Amino acid sequence: MHNLDLLPVIIGVGDMSDRPDKGQSGLEPLRLIERAARLADEDAGGGWLARLDRLYVVPQLTWPYSDLPGMVSSALGIAPTVVPTEGISGDSPVRYLMQAAVEIASGQSVATMICGAEAFGSLRAAAAQRKSPEGWTPGGKAAALIDGSAYVTKLASKYGLKDPTEVYTLYENALRAANVQTAKQSTAESAALWAQYAEVAASNAYAWDRAGHDAAAIQTASSKNRPISYPYLKRMVAQLYVNQGAAVIVTSRAAALAAGVSASRLVYIGSGAGAADIDDFLSRPGYTECLPMALALSETLKANGLTAQQVDAAEIYSCFPCVPKLALKAIGGLRAGVAPTVTGGLSFFGGPLGDFMSHAITAMTRVLREGRANTGLLYGNGGYLTKHHAAVLLREPPQSMPTNLELNAAVAEQRAGTQPATLLDEYEGPATVETYLLKYDGSGDPHSATIVARTPEGARTVALIHPHDYRAQALLINGEREPIGLPGSIALVNGQMHWRFDDAVLPPVGAPGSPVLLERRDGFVAVVTLNRPLRMNAVNARLARAIAEIIQLTEADPDIRVVVLASSRPEVFCAGLDLSALSNPRALQELVAVEGGFAGFVNAVRRKPWIAAVRGQALGGGFELALACELIVAADDSAFGLPEVKRGILAAAGGVARLPRVLPRNLAAQAILTGEPMSAKLLHGHGVINALAPVDQVIDEAVALGRRIAVNAPLAIGESLTLLKASIDETDAELSRRSMEAGARLMGSADAREGGQAFLEKRAPVWKGR
């Protein structure tokens, strides 16, 4: 029989979600904590701040305070014992709650407050205005949000595995393969799971994002939901740029009742458990399960006499989808109808770094008080799936005093028979993919890729994929083949390990996931699609290099005789030069270095005709790409123009030179000098555009035109195209000479003999291209 009077209970909770007006500085973390603490005191009936004898302040990163716990105590006019805390870790509020509960149950403490806050939303707003937040406590410049290199080994940092968005995808990708899921299935699972979090956030007054995104919106890339690291989009990762604070007051049942707190408002703290994994994630046994997490959760449920199916409400930590996936798998899932969150999760409620679970505690307290649940499971994760702590809150008194189990010894015991991974800092030779990271840049382009590999002897190592290896990048992200388990090799290049897939496993040039897509249609026609949809297919060095590579391939392939150039977005063909390159000298230098002129295309040597299939706008460089093609098929409502003069530059990629060749002089001058767009119908009337079609038929119409060309002799097409291009720049005499030479070459070809024979035999010719 236990003493009900000593049972620890939560009596007061307070939340702050600060959204300052534009241009105004929001509350600093100290003030967020102060206000949340006063709200918690008010929620408890008042007078509790003066009774506090323990204070836990969750470490924060927003602002460099010299002594935040002391400043909190001073701001509140209290003098409790400050309990030492360590570092930023997402499990810490749950861990502190259980420490406080055990102290109260043992009579070591009368009343404890756990509080914390972050205000990176205000910091980012101030940085955008190039100023420091006004009125904040003097203390110097704030540190960068997260410098992951301080938390990982030199090997991990060297190979791009340092920030949470980089490390957690190692687990996500490995988990997908272990579950024998396709990329589409795994992403759909993540989106459906996250939609549950978003739905809860939509009805939470303290949530940062209350839009209630559905699964489709969560898994669809857009300018507001850009890719971060495969397979995660922005809405699948923690939202750190928030201003949020929380406070929780804990005391004993007896003290609460004696102070007049209604029994109906008490929320009991059950038992909890915690465990930690190996700090260096590269030295862990694998990435498809997490033993410390599983033990913390299962032992917590066991200590409270519960199964997962008996839990009425839960907050399963949600910095990235792999975390609740692993957690729910470890406990066998929650009962149907029980959401994995009471807050809305770190993507939608907000992710104030180590303090998020304080908000989970406050939200769970309200859920239990309101009778929406009787038992609530809390699970927090810290580090890189490193630290784990779980606890149970109850509407009714538990059957025993709370315990707080530390399970590190149990983790070590269960792993006693497992050999730790042998980690190689340097290696050359064959290997297979164990898991991987592909990180995107701010424009949605693949930026860097890291392979975590196993050698034939079972050792683990890491290697980078060259940023220009588009086929390898496509293999990692297009979902057409599972990359994990595929063979490759590692070579040392200037002291750094570089990965290459075996050629046999690589997708073809232009496969899905590439910056330029290549689709072969029947009738010797290929469709090449510009594939930077989030940047409206604007041209950067990556896109230009891919186009140049596609030109080489199509020129060398006898089964491709005509190429259609299309876009991945129906509302825009190409937005021209990616203007971000103008402010980045290195990016601009890389773009200029690509052979073939602008986009690797406008001055490229080609002997096969290209047809621009233009939908939407083709302005600036987009119009220049179309003009560099031999033919144009356009949507009825498309628009063309050279607006460069409006930006203080000119259409130097062939626009100013080519437009007067295809338009009357004065009309071309008007377009070039005003920068105003022209309609497709106007250009069609002057013969610049070969055909108009409804927007949904443009590509098919262009392919049909390509087939009408491709039925002819490929050598004759090539020679004719060469002379056609030269006709603008060369004299009639020179053109006559070149025509005679070309004619002589053709007369001796096998295709010329086949053409005559087929005509006599009244059949379609079979061209060989020789």
Side-chain angles (χ1 to χ4, degrees):
M1 198 66 184
H2 63 286
N3 187 345
L4 287 175
D5 289 344
L6 290 178
L7 285 175
V9 292
I10 296 172
I11 58 168
V13 293
D15 291 82
M16 277 296 299
S17 189
D18 178 40
R19 293 176 178 270
D21 294 335
K22 188 174 182 180
Q24 300 296 312
S25 293
L27 297 174
E28 62 178 296
L30 171 61
R31 300 307 168 196
L32 287 169
I33 292 173
E34 179 187 1
R35 294 195 183 187
R38 296 193 185 282
L39 288 171
D41 185 51
E42 181 183 340
D43 182 60
W48 283 96
L49 293 178
R51 303 181 196 182
L52 296 177
D53 59 5
R54 295 282 195 281
L55 175 66
Y56 290 83
V57 178
V58 178
Q60 59 86 47
L61 199 60
T62 299
W63 201 242
Y65 296 104
S66 58
D67 177 17
L68 182 57
M71 297 170 79
V72 169
S73 298
S74 178
L76 295 174
I78 59 177
T81 297
V82 173
V83 182
T85 56
E86 297 180 2
I88 305 289
S89 187
D91 69 310
S92 57
V94 181
R95 181 157 39 94
Y96 300 156
L97 178 69
M98 289 311 309
Q99 289 175 198
V102 170
E103 289 175 342
I104 287 169
S106 64
Q108 298 175 62
S109 172
V110 173
T112 299
M113 183 167 71
I114 301 156
C115 56
E118 295 282 3
F120 270 102
S122 289
L123 269 194
R124 183 167 72 168
Q129 299 170 48
R130 298 184 178 180
K131 67 178 186 180
S132 295
E134 297 174 358
W136 285 25
T137 300
K141 186 178 180 181
L145 175 56
I146 291 180
D147 179 9
S149 59
Y151 300 90
V152 302
T153 64
K154 290 182 179 179
L155 180 65
S157 181
K158 180 179 179 180
Y159 288 92
L161 299 171
K162 56 186 188 300
D163 294 336
T165 56
E166 296 162 345
V167 176
Y168 277 86
T169 54
L170 300 182
Y171 282 88
E172 185 69 48
N173 290 318
L175 193 61
R176 177 194 65 237
N179 291 340
V180 198
Q181 291 178 304
T182 65
K184 186 175 181 180
Q185 289 169 336
S186 179
T187 298
E189 179 188 5
S190 295
L193 181 61
W194 247 231
Q196 295 182 63
Y197 284 89
E199 183 179 4
V200 172
S203 59
N204 185 344
Y206 302 105
W208 203 256
D209 180 352
R210 301 179 63 191
H213 309 281
D214 61 17
I218 291 167
Q219 66 183 315
T220 302
S222 68
S223 59
K224 293 183 178 180
N225 192 34
R226 64 180 179 85
I228 303 294
S229 56
Y230 183 81
Y232 294 149
L233 304 177
K234 187 174 182 292
R235 290 183 182 133
M236 292 182 181
V237 306
Q239 184 172 192
L240 303 181
Y241 295 104
V242 297
N243 307 320
Q244 293 175 322
V248 180
I249 296 176
V250 180
T251 189
S252 66
R253 180 177 182 273
L257 295 176
V261 179
S262 170
S264 64
R265 294 181 59 79
L266 302 183
V267 170
Y268 293 86
I269 303 172
S271 293
D277 211 333
I278 301 168
D279 279 339
D280 177 16
F281 53 83
L282 287 177
S283 297
R284 294 174 189 168
Y287 303 99
T288 59
E289 61 183 3
C290 183
L291 178 60
M293 170 200 282
L295 284 177
L297 284 162
S298 61
E299 291 300 315
T300 293
L301 291 171
K302 181 179 177 182
N304 288 280
L306 296 170
T307 67
Q309 295 298 301
Q310 293 172 311
V311 169
D312 298 323
E315 185 66 53
I316 306 297
Y317 201 79
S318 54
C319 53
F320 302 92
C322 66
V323 178
K325 283 182 180 181
L326 286 165
L328 292 169
K329 180 180 179 182
I331 62 175
L334 297 169
R335 189 173 72 247
V338 176
T341 182
V342 290
T343 63
L346 284 88
S347 295
F348 309 110
F349 172 84
L353 295 178
D355 196 47
F356 168 76
M357 288 304 293
S358 295
H359 294 277
I361 295 167
T362 64
M364 187 67 75
T365 297
R366 295 185 184 100
V367 166
L368 295 173
R369 278 179 180 171
E370 294 165 9
R372 289 185 279 151
N374 292 314
T375 58
L377 174 64
L378 300 169
Y379 161 68
N381 156 63
Y384 301 88
L385 267 174
T386 306
K387 299 177 181 179
H388 311 271
H389 221 100
V392 166
L393 300 185
L394 302 156
R395 185 70 189 87
E396 301 296 333
Q399 296 301 309
S400 59
M401 300 300 284
T403 58
N404 186 33
L405 302 174
E406 290 294 342
L407 301 170
N408 291 336
V411 173
E413 182 180 353
Q414 291 201 28
R415 283 181 173 169
T418 303
Q419 290 294 324
T422 300
L423 195 57
L424 302 179
D425 289 352
E426 283 194 355
Y427 172 78
E428 285 192 292
T432 56
V433 179
E434 181 179 11
T435 187
Y436 64 92
L437 154 76
L438 185 136
K439 192 173 178 68
Y440 297 88
D441 63 20
S443 66
D445 289 333
H447 172 65
S448 60
T450 304
I451 300 294
V452 176
R454 291 281 189 164
T455 70
E457 294 74 28
R460 178 182 288 149
T461 193
V462 289
L464 297 175
I465 288 178
H466 194 282
H468 299 171
D469 191 349
Y470 306 136
R471 294 172 70 192
Q473 292 173 353
L475 174 61
L476 296 180
I477 65 176
N478 67 17
E480 296 195 341
R481 183 173 190 175
E482 177 55 66
I484 291 176
L486 292 181
S489 61
I490 297 174
L492 278 169
V493 181
N494 298 323
Q496 194 169 55
M497 290 180 282
H498 284 245
W499 176 272
R500 286 187 64 85
F501 279 108
D502 289 357
D503 287 342
V505 306
L506 283 171
V509 173
S514 303
V516 177
L517 307 179
L518 175 65
E519 177 192 1
R520 298 169 185 271
R521 299 283 185 99
D522 56 6
F524 299 98
V525 177
V527 176
V528 169
T529 303
L530 305 176
N531 191 35
R532 289 191 78 210
L534 298 187
R535 297 291 290 179
M536 297 186 293
N537 300 317
V539 176
N540 63 356
R542 185 172 187 272
L543 186 69
R545 280 190 291 262
I547 292 174
E549 185 178 22
I550 289 285
I551 290 174
Q552 291 181 0
L553 184 148
T554 56
E555 286 293 303
D557 191 336
D559 290 330
I560 296 175
R561 298 178 185 172
V562 181
V563 182
V564 172
L565 181 62
S567 79
S568 56
R569 293 184 61 162
E571 70 274 19
V572 62
F573 176 66
C574 171
L577 173 67
D578 190 329
L579 296 181
S580 63
L582 294 178
S583 59
N584 186 334
R586 181 177 178 182
L588 188 60
Q589 185 179 15
E590 289 181 354
L591 176 60
V592 172
V594 179
E595 294 185 3
F598 177 70
F601 183 79
V602 297
N603 298 325
V605 177
R606 296 181 284 104
R607 290 178 57 83
K608 296 181 180 180
W610 284 55
I611 305 171
V614 178
R615 299 176 297 169
Q617 294 187 336
L619 303 178
F623 192 12
E624 290 175 300
L625 285 180
L627 288 171
C629 292
E630 285 65 54
L631 304 97
I632 302 174
V633 175
D636 301 310
D637 58 355
S638 56
F640 299 75
L642 300 173
E644 281 80 357
V645 292
K646 295 179 179 291
R647 304 175 191 140
I649 55 178
L650 63 82
V656 172
R658 287 190 171 104
L659 193 59
R661 296 173 184 171
V662 294
L663 270 182
R665 175 185 176 278
N666 288 3
L667 192 57
Q670 179 178 328
I672 292 168
L673 299 178
T674 66
E676 296 170 352
M678 297 173 287
S679 71
K681 292 180 180 179
L682 172 67
L683 294 179
H684 181 249
H686 287 280
V688 180
I689 293 174
N690 298 81
L692 296 175
V695 65
D696 60 343
Q697 298 175 28
V698 169
I699 296 175
D700 289 340
E701 188 73 23
V703 169
L705 176 57
R707 289 180 181 135
R708 285 156 51 197
I709 297 170
V711 297
N712 299 311
L715 285 179
I717 290 172
E719 294 284 5
S720 299
L721 188 59
T722 300
L723 288 168
L724 177 66
K725 290 179 177 180
S727 65
I728 298 169
D729 302 314
E730 299 185 2
T731 65
D732 288 349
E734 178 63 17
L735 287 172
S736 178
R737 182 189 65 78
R738 291 184 58 170
S739 296
M740 293 298 291
E741 291 175 354
R745 287 193 296 271
L746 289 175
M747 288 299 291
S749 69
D751 275 358
R753 293 190 295 273
E754 167 64 9
Q757 191 68 27
F759 177 78
L760 293 174
E761 295 176 3
K762 295 183 169 55
R763 61 175 175 81
V766 180
W767 307 117
K768 302 295 184 182
R770 59 179 185 270

